[in-house]
Structure formats: C-alpha cells, structure tokens
C-alpha cells in the first residue's frame, strides 16, 4: 500500500479532515515521496463542488502527507452494504456528478483512472463528493512503473497493463462505480489482487439485466459502453458520456457547464447606439473676431 487515509479533526474550525499519509516504508524512496508531494499540490489546486478541497501539504515525522476536507455523508460503499443496491435514478445521479468532477480534473491536467465506492461520499441532499482526486493511479518504484493502486475491479484494463490513465480510463472507472451502485457488487471478484486483475483483463462482468430488475435498457447500454475492454469503443469524450447519462439522472437537457469548467466567453462588443427620432441640433458657426 502506497498511502493510507486517516480521519482527523481540525480543532481550530471543529471540522473533520482527511489525512493521506505516505507509507513510512516508502518515505526513504525519494521518487515516490516526490510524486506524492507533486500530486498533493495538484490536488490542492482543484476547486470543484464535487471534489474535496485541499487544506494543506506537509510532513508528519518526516513522512509526506496531504490534508483535505473530509466529505459529509456516507460513502457509496457504506450505502450499498447497509441498504443494498441503489435505485437507478440515484445511482445515475451519483455517476453523473463524478463524471463532471473528473471532467473538471481533466481540464486541470489530471486523469485518475480509478474511482472506488469508498472514495465517493453522498450527503443527505444527494450531493456527491469525491476525494483523492489528482493523485496518480500508478506509482514508480526504483524507476519501474508499479501495479495500479486500489481494487483492480474499478481500474481500466489498459491501466492494469501499465498504460497511463487518460479520459477513456476515467470513463471505465465511472462505469465500474455505476455497475457497483446498481448491482451491489463489483464488476469483477476474486480471491486476491491478481485474480481480480486477471478477470478484468479477460472476462466480461455479469450482465446487469440478470442482477437488477428495475433498470432501463438504455442505462445498461451506457454502463456497457463505458466498460468496454477496448478504449476506442467507449464514448468519444467525457462530454458525450455526460450527455448520455444525463437523462437517466433526471436531467432532460444536457447540464450547463459549471463556471469553473467553462471556457471563458469572448468579450461582447458594445452595441451601436440606435438612431434617435429627435432632430439633430446644427453646430454653431464660429464667427472670427475682427482685430482692431
């Protein structure tokens, strides 16, 4: 495990915070420590309503750490464990908010490639918040790219193979999260990391129609497309994914871009004054004075 997240309290403000601490065994590995510090700064610069805000970057007893606002509510994993699979509408709303968050992160140059049900929290108002966004899914050890961090059931096949996460692998992660929320089980299961990773690379998830009763064929098609083994067979862009997912989240039209994620509009030209009906006053002629 590269790092561990602890829950703490910021006593000055009386709020819960998350503290992501690098594994002490890796603290002497300058490459890993440097990557964690870099990713911590990248994460702290994120400013989106569905991404936990960064608070501080520093060290605890010589070990790199990152402090962030811990989300309110319960994780998707907790909801499923306690209550079972989520209704299709609720699951789609959560997936849509995560897609918007990852689209924003992408605009800041960050591709996560991994979103687990324990990372996504949902408040009482059904607002989803993702933490740990901005950190690499893979970590280099001694110059060699290590295996992806986290449960491989929620990692795109190409990332497991060693490819760098991109927009298409983010789509896969959202699809796997939505699959879990709808069915109550991960897309792939196994005895250990290797078993799950091997299944992700070679097998297809159990069809949702055999696990969920009240679900539309179009929503199933969305999940299947997001989780295609071949990245080129997924949506062309995150914008297309959001557009396809929006109707299932109760949004008829494609949601407007958030201000933080929108392109800066071109300046609007000042309108020309409209002609007036009032007659124009003729300018007075200046009569030169005679010099005596």
């Amino acid at each position: 495990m590269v790092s561990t997240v602890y829950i703490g309290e910021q006593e000055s403000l009386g709020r819960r915070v998350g503290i992501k601490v690098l594994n002490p065994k890796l603290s002497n590995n300058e490459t890993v420590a440097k990557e964690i510090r870099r990713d911590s700064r990248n994460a702290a610069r994120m400013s989106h309503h569905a991404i936990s805000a960064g608070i501080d970057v520093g060290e605890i007893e010589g070990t790199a750490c990152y402090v962030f606002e811990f989300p309110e509510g319960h994780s998707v994993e907790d909801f499923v464990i306690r209550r079972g699979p989520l209704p299709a509408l609720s699951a789609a709303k959560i997936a849509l908010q995560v897609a918007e968050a990852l689209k924003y992160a992408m605009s800041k140059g960050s591709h996560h490639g991994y979103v687990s049900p324990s990372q996504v929290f949902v408040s009482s108002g059904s607002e989803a918040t993702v933490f740990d966004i901005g950190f690499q899914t893979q970590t280099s050890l001694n110059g060699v790219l290590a295996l992806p961090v986290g449960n491989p059931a929620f990692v795109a096949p190409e990332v497991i193979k060693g490819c760098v996460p991109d927009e298409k692998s983010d789509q896969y992660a959202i699809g796997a999260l939505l699959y879990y929320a709808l069915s109550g089980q991960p897309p792939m299961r196994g005895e250990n990391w290797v078993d799950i990773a091997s299944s992700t690379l070679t097998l297809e998830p159990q069809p949702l129609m055999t696990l969920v009763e009240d679900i539309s064929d179009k929503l199933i098609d969305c999940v299947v497309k997001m989780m295609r083994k071949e990245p080129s067979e997924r949506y062309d862009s995150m914008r297309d994914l959001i557009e396809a997912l929006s109707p299932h989240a109760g949004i008829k039209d494609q949601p407007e871009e958030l201000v933080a994620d929108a392109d800066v509009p071109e300046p609007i030209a000042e309108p020309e004054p409209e002609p007036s009906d009032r007659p124009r006053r003729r300018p007075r002629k200046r009569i030169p004075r005679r010099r005596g």
Side-chain angles (χ1 to χ4, degrees), residues 33 40 81 96 139 141 191 194 225 257 273 280:
S40 296
I81 291 174
L96 180 62
T139 302
L141 295 174
E191 295 294 328
V194 175
K225 190 173 182 68
E257 295 288 337
R280 294 183 178 180

Side-chain angles (χ1 to χ4, degrees), residues 108-255:
K108 299 300 180 182
S110 175
H111 295 287
H112 202 60
Y114 169 73
V115 180
S116 77
S118 61
Q119 274 181 269
V120 182
F121 275 64
V122 184
S123 69
S124 56
S126 298
E127 296 295 326
T129 305
V130 193
F131 71 83
D132 221 11
I133 294 297
F135 289 87
Q136 289 188 5
T137 304
Q138 301 153 317
T139 302
S140 300
L141 295 174
N142 300 323
V144 179
L145 195 63
L147 294 173
V149 177
N151 187 339
F154 300 95
V155 180
E158 65 273 15
V159 177
I160 292 177
K161 292 178 181 178
C163 295
V164 176
D166 60 11
E167 184 176 11
K168 296 299 183 79
S169 54
D170 283 352
Q171 290 184 26
Y172 186 97
I174 297 168
L177 173 71
L178 182 52
Y179 182 101
Y180 176 87
L182 289 166
S183 67
Q185 65 182 45
M188 297 295 171
R189 289 180 287 183
E191 295 294 328
N192 50 48
W193 198 100
V194 175
D195 274 354
I196 300 172
S198 177
S199 297
T200 300
L201 292 174
T202 59
L203 302 178
E204 295 294 336
Q206 184 176 344
L208 276 174
M209 66 181 65
T210 66
L211 298 171
V212 187
E213 293 182 359
D214 189 16
I215 184 172
S216 69
D217 291 340
K218 289 186 177 180
L219 181 54
I220 291 176
D221 291 342
C222 283
V223 179
V224 170
K225 190 173 182 68
M226 283 187 268
M227 296 186 65
R228 293 287 187 190
K229 301 290 187 192
E230 184 58 46
S232 62
E233 295 179 1
R234 298 169 200 156
Y235 289 98
D236 291 337
S237 67
M238 192 66 78
R239 182 188 293 271
D240 290 341
L241 184 156
I242 290 172
E243 184 176 357
L245 200 54
S246 293
H248 305 289
I251 300 175
K252 294 182 180 180
D253 300 319
Q254 186 174 354

